Amino acid sequence: MTIKWNGMGEIHLDVLKEVGNIGAGNAATALSKLISRDIDMKVPHARIVHFDQITELVGGPDAVVVAILLHINGDVQGSMFFILNEASAKELVKELLPTNDQTPNFTDLEFSALQEIGNILIGSYLTSLIDFTQLNMYHSVPSLAIDMAGAIVSYGLIELSQVGDYAMVIDTSFLDGSKEVEGHFFFLPDPESLNKIFRALGVPLDECH
Amino acid sequence: MNVIKVGMADLNIASSPDRIRTVGLGSCVGVALYDKITKIGGLAHIMLPSSTLNKGVLNVAKYADTAIPKLIDDMVKKGADSRRIIAKIAGGAQMFSFSSASEIMRIGPRNVEACKEALRHARIHLNCEDTGGNWGRTIEMDCSTGVLQVRSVNNGVKEF
C-alpha cells in the first residue's frame, strides 16, 4: 500500500494537529501534576517530513537526547516517542528525586524514574486519543535510550521506511514556566493506520479528492 | 577538503582529500567502500535488509541488496577498480530492548547480515566491522587514507 500524500489536504493536517493538541494537552496536565509546576504547551505541528528532517526538530541527528519509546498496537499501530535533551531530563528527574548529585550521568533509579515519566505521559496522551477517536489502542512497556537523535528516531521509522522516505509527524513540545524543561512528543503512525485515524475522525482520505 | 554528508537511506561517493560522513546510525548500517589506489570512497546509510520489503517507490539507497551494488557501480564509474575495493561496516545496533522480540525489533542484526551477504555476492572483501551493541554511531571516512572513524556517545572514538 502506498500513501497518497497528495490526497491529504489542510483539513487532514488540522485534524492531526487537534489529535496532538488533545493528546499532549492531557500529557502536559499529567506532567504538571507529577512535578507540581505549571507547564506551557506549544501549538502542535502536524507535518509530512523527510526522514532526515525529523531529527532536526530535536537538534539534529547528532544531538544527544533522552528518548522514551513505546509501541502502539491495536486498531492503530505505530510508535510514540517522548524526547528530551539531557539537561531537561536531568531537571525533570530532580523534581521527582531531589538529589545533590551534580554529575551529568543518570543513576539506575533516575533511569527508571524517567521511564515512568514517559510511561505516564504517553499513557495519558494515548488515553485521550482513544476517547477522541473511539479506536482501540494500547501501548507496550516503555524503553529508554540516551543516544544520538538520528540513531533513536530511525528506529521508529522502520515500518514507515518500507513505503517511502517521508513520515507523518505529530510533534508537540512543552516548556515548564521557567523554560528549563523542553520535551517533544512524536507520534509516528504506521502508514495503514493514518487513514483509520482520519476515518474515525470523519475525514477519510478517499473522499477528499 | 570537504566533508560530504550522506543522509538516512542515502549514498554517495567521494575522493581524496575529501571525507565522507553519515550521522546517527542506530539499527541502520553504514557501509564504507574504499579503493586505495584511486583513493575513491563510497558510503551508504542502509535502513532495511532487502528490497523485497519495499512497498512504494524504490529508493535503492535504502536496502542492503540494492545500495551496495549501486555504490560499487558509482565508484567504478569514477575510476575505481571493483577488485581492489574493500568494505568497512558499522552500525546495526539494537537501540531499544523490548521483551517481545519480533522480527522488526531485530532489524539491526538483520541489516548487518544482509550487508555482509550483499558484499559476498559482489565479491567485496569485508575488512572490518564495528556492529551490534545498543548504541548509536557516527562514521566518517578519510578518503586520503581509507581510515574509518566511528564515534559514539558513550563508547568513545575508534579508528579502523
Side-chain angles (χ1 to χ4, degrees), chain A residues 44-59:
Chain A
H45 295 284
R47 297 181 260 217
I48 298 159
V49 293
H50 190 267
F51 288 168
D52 279 334
Q53 291 171 298
I54 299 177
T55 50
E56 296 301 334
L57 301 172
V58 288

PDB file of all heavy atoms in Angstrom, chain A residues 44-59:
ATOM      1  N   PRO A  44       0.753  22.516  18.570  1.00  0.00           N
ATOM      2  CA  PRO A  44       1.344  21.340  17.917  1.00  0.00           C
ATOM      3  C   PRO A  44       1.511  21.510  16.414  1.00  0.00           C
ATOM      4  O   PRO A  44       0.830  22.329  15.783  1.00  0.00           O
ATOM      5  CB  PRO A  44       0.338  20.233  18.210  1.00  0.00           C
ATOM      6  CG  PRO A  44      -0.868  20.868  18.747  1.00  0.00           C
ATOM      7  CD  PRO A  44      -0.600  22.301  19.057  1.00  0.00           C
ATOM      8  N   HIS A  45       2.431  20.743  15.882  1.00  0.00           N
ATOM      9  CA  HIS A  45       2.625  20.708  14.431  1.00  0.00           C
ATOM     10  C   HIS A  45       2.272  19.332  13.919  1.00  0.00           C
ATOM     11  O   HIS A  45       2.597  18.341  14.549  1.00  0.00           O
ATOM     12  CB  HIS A  45       4.097  20.928  14.085  1.00  0.00           C
ATOM     13  CG  HIS A  45       4.612  22.254  14.452  1.00  0.00           C
ATOM     14  ND1 HIS A  45       4.331  23.382  13.732  1.00  0.00           N
ATOM     15  CD2 HIS A  45       5.392  22.644  15.479  1.00  0.00           C
ATOM     16  CE1 HIS A  45       4.919  24.416  14.298  1.00  0.00           C
ATOM     17  NE2 HIS A  45       5.570  24.000  15.370  1.00  0.00           N
ATOM     18  N   ALA A  46       1.622  19.288  12.795  1.00  0.00           N
ATOM     19  CA  ALA A  46       1.431  18.017  12.103  1.00  0.00           C
ATOM     20  C   ALA A  46       2.061  18.235  10.734  1.00  0.00           C
ATOM     21  O   ALA A  46       1.678  19.136   9.999  1.00  0.00           O
ATOM     22  CB  ALA A  46      -0.040  17.693  11.966  1.00  0.00           C
ATOM     23  N   ARG A  47       3.068  17.447  10.436  1.00  0.00           N
ATOM     24  CA  ARG A  47       3.792  17.686   9.198  1.00  0.00           C
ATOM     25  C   ARG A  47       4.158  16.385   8.514  1.00  0.00           C
ATOM     26  O   ARG A  47       4.333  15.367   9.164  1.00  0.00           O
ATOM     27  CB  ARG A  47       5.121  18.395   9.468  1.00  0.00           C
ATOM     28  CG  ARG A  47       4.986  19.747  10.056  1.00  0.00           C
ATOM     29  CD  ARG A  47       6.362  20.321  10.250  1.00  0.00           C
ATOM     30  NE  ARG A  47       6.733  20.172  11.634  1.00  0.00           N
ATOM     31  CZ  ARG A  47       7.430  21.093  12.301  1.00  0.00           C
ATOM     32  NH1 ARG A  47       7.860  22.168  11.696  1.00  0.00           N
ATOM     33  NH2 ARG A  47       7.716  20.902  13.563  1.00  0.00           N
ATOM     34  N   ILE A  48       4.300  16.483   7.216  1.00  0.00           N
ATOM     35  CA  ILE A  48       4.861  15.369   6.468  1.00  0.00           C
ATOM     36  C   ILE A  48       6.295  15.770   6.185  1.00  0.00           C
ATOM     37  O   ILE A  48       6.543  16.746   5.491  1.00  0.00           O
ATOM     38  CB  ILE A  48       4.094  15.147   5.155  1.00  0.00           C
ATOM     39  CG1 ILE A  48       2.643  14.788   5.467  1.00  0.00           C
ATOM     40  CG2 ILE A  48       4.752  14.052   4.337  1.00  0.00           C
ATOM     41  CD1 ILE A  48       1.708  15.034   4.327  1.00  0.00           C
ATOM     42  N   VAL A  49       7.232  15.055   6.763  1.00  0.00           N
ATOM     43  CA  VAL A  49       8.622  15.457   6.610  1.00  0.00           C
ATOM     44  C   VAL A  49       9.477  14.299   6.122  1.00  0.00           C
ATOM     45  O   VAL A  49       9.178  13.138   6.363  1.00  0.00           O
ATOM     46  CB  VAL A  49       9.221  15.998   7.929  1.00  0.00           C
ATOM     47  CG1 VAL A  49       8.570  17.294   8.336  1.00  0.00           C
ATOM     48  CG2 VAL A  49       9.114  14.981   9.049  1.00  0.00           C
ATOM     49  N   HIS A  50      10.548  14.649   5.446  1.00  0.00           N
ATOM     50  CA  HIS A  50      11.525  13.654   5.027  1.00  0.00           C
ATOM     51  C   HIS A  50      12.223  13.141   6.280  1.00  0.00           C
ATOM     52  O   HIS A  50      12.375  13.873   7.258  1.00  0.00           O
ATOM     53  CB  HIS A  50      12.540  14.285   4.075  1.00  0.00           C
ATOM     54  CG  HIS A  50      13.414  13.267   3.416  1.00  0.00           C
ATOM     55  ND1 HIS A  50      14.630  12.910   3.936  1.00  0.00           N
ATOM     56  CD2 HIS A  50      13.225  12.503   2.323  1.00  0.00           C
ATOM     57  CE1 HIS A  50      15.165  11.974   3.159  1.00  0.00           C
ATOM     58  NE2 HIS A  50      14.330  11.712   2.173  1.00  0.00           N
ATOM     59  N   PHE A  51      12.616  11.856   6.235  1.00  0.00           N
ATOM     60  CA  PHE A  51      13.280  11.231   7.385  1.00  0.00           C
ATOM     61  C   PHE A  51      14.371  12.116   7.990  1.00  0.00           C
ATOM     62  O   PHE A  51      14.495  12.229   9.195  1.00  0.00           O
ATOM     63  CB  PHE A  51      13.923   9.901   6.980  1.00  0.00           C
ATOM     64  CG  PHE A  51      12.926   8.826   6.717  1.00  0.00           C
ATOM     65  CD1 PHE A  51      13.314   7.645   6.111  1.00  0.00           C
ATOM     66  CD2 PHE A  51      11.597   8.980   7.092  1.00  0.00           C
ATOM     67  CE1 PHE A  51      12.399   6.638   5.866  1.00  0.00           C
ATOM     68  CE2 PHE A  51      10.678   7.973   6.850  1.00  0.00           C
ATOM     69  CZ  PHE A  51      11.091   6.805   6.234  1.00  0.00           C
ATOM     70  N   ASP A  52      15.174  12.694   7.108  1.00  0.00           N
ATOM     71  CA  ASP A  52      16.307  13.483   7.586  1.00  0.00           C
ATOM     72  C   ASP A  52      15.886  14.710   8.383  1.00  0.00           C
ATOM     73  O   ASP A  52      16.644  15.221   9.188  1.00  0.00           O
ATOM     74  CB  ASP A  52      17.176  13.926   6.406  1.00  0.00           C
ATOM     75  CG  ASP A  52      18.101  12.815   5.961  1.00  0.00           C
ATOM     76  OD1 ASP A  52      18.421  11.954   6.799  1.00  0.00           O
ATOM     77  OD2 ASP A  52      18.492  12.818   4.784  1.00  0.00           O
ATOM     78  N   GLN A  53      14.662  15.177   8.106  1.00  0.00           N
ATOM     79  CA  GLN A  53      14.232  16.415   8.765  1.00  0.00           C
ATOM     80  C   GLN A  53      13.652  16.177  10.152  1.00  0.00           C
ATOM     81  O   GLN A  53      13.570  17.104  10.952  1.00  0.00           O
ATOM     82  CB  GLN A  53      13.179  17.123   7.906  1.00  0.00           C
ATOM     83  CG  GLN A  53      13.748  17.684   6.631  1.00  0.00           C
ATOM     84  CD  GLN A  53      12.635  18.178   5.733  1.00  0.00           C
ATOM     85  OE1 GLN A  53      11.788  17.410   5.297  1.00  0.00           O
ATOM     86  NE2 GLN A  53      12.623  19.468   5.492  1.00  0.00           N
ATOM     87  N   ILE A  54      13.247  14.933  10.434  1.00  0.00           N
ATOM     88  CA  ILE A  54      12.600  14.671  11.710  1.00  0.00           C
ATOM     89  C   ILE A  54      13.526  14.991  12.871  1.00  0.00           C
ATOM     90  O   ILE A  54      13.140  15.646  13.836  1.00  0.00           O
ATOM     91  CB  ILE A  54      12.121  13.199  11.801  1.00  0.00           C
ATOM     92  CG1 ILE A  54      11.099  12.949  10.700  1.00  0.00           C
ATOM     93  CG2 ILE A  54      11.511  12.903  13.164  1.00  0.00           C
ATOM     94  CD1 ILE A  54      10.612  11.533  10.653  1.00  0.00           C
ATOM     95  N   THR A  55      14.778  14.542  12.735  1.00  0.00           N
ATOM     96  CA  THR A  55      15.705  14.762  13.838  1.00  0.00           C
ATOM     97  C   THR A  55      16.041  16.247  14.017  1.00  0.00           C
ATOM     98  O   THR A  55      16.468  16.648  15.083  1.00  0.00           O
ATOM     99  CB  THR A  55      17.006  13.957  13.632  1.00  0.00           C
ATOM    100  OG1 THR A  55      17.482  14.218  12.325  1.00  0.00           O
ATOM    101  CG2 THR A  55      16.760  12.475  13.808  1.00  0.00           C
ATOM    102  N   GLU A  56      15.838  17.024  12.944  1.00  0.00           N
ATOM    103  CA  GLU A  56      16.097  18.466  13.072  1.00  0.00           C
ATOM    104  C   GLU A  56      15.186  19.086  14.127  1.00  0.00           C
ATOM    105  O   GLU A  56      15.519  20.089  14.746  1.00  0.00           O
ATOM    106  CB  GLU A  56      15.895  19.192  11.722  1.00  0.00           C
ATOM    107  CG  GLU A  56      16.857  18.769  10.628  1.00  0.00           C
ATOM    108  CD  GLU A  56      18.324  18.991  10.963  1.00  0.00           C
ATOM    109  OE1 GLU A  56      18.624  19.880  11.778  1.00  0.00           O
ATOM    110  OE2 GLU A  56      19.168  18.229  10.436  1.00  0.00           O
ATOM    111  N   LEU A  57      14.038  18.478  14.344  1.00  0.00           N
ATOM    112  CA  LEU A  57      13.087  19.008  15.329  1.00  0.00           C
ATOM    113  C   LEU A  57      13.631  18.921  16.751  1.00  0.00           C
ATOM    114  O   LEU A  57      13.174  19.608  17.650  1.00  0.00           O
ATOM    115  CB  LEU A  57      11.745  18.254  15.244  1.00  0.00           C
ATOM    116  CG  LEU A  57      11.008  18.299  13.898  1.00  0.00           C
ATOM    117  CD1 LEU A  57       9.812  17.358  13.908  1.00  0.00           C
ATOM    118  CD2 LEU A  57      10.547  19.717  13.596  1.00  0.00           C
ATOM    119  N   VAL A  58      14.611  18.030  16.964  1.00  0.00           N
ATOM    120  CA  VAL A  58      15.173  17.892  18.310  1.00  0.00           C
ATOM    121  C   VAL A  58      16.676  18.194  18.338  1.00  0.00           C
ATOM    122  O   VAL A  58      17.381  17.732  19.215  1.00  0.00           O
ATOM    123  CB  VAL A  58      14.905  16.492  18.926  1.00  0.00           C
ATOM    124  CG1 VAL A  58      13.455  16.342  19.311  1.00  0.00           C
ATOM    125  CG2 VAL A  58      15.334  15.374  17.994  1.00  0.00           C
ATOM    126  N   GLY A  59      17.155  18.959  17.364  1.00  0.00           N
ATOM    127  CA  GLY A  59      18.543  19.426  17.429  1.00  0.00           C
ATOM    128  C   GLY A  59      19.500  18.767  16.456  1.00  0.00           C
ATOM    129  O   GLY A  59      20.701  18.957  16.563  1.00  0.00           O
TER     130      GLY A  59
END
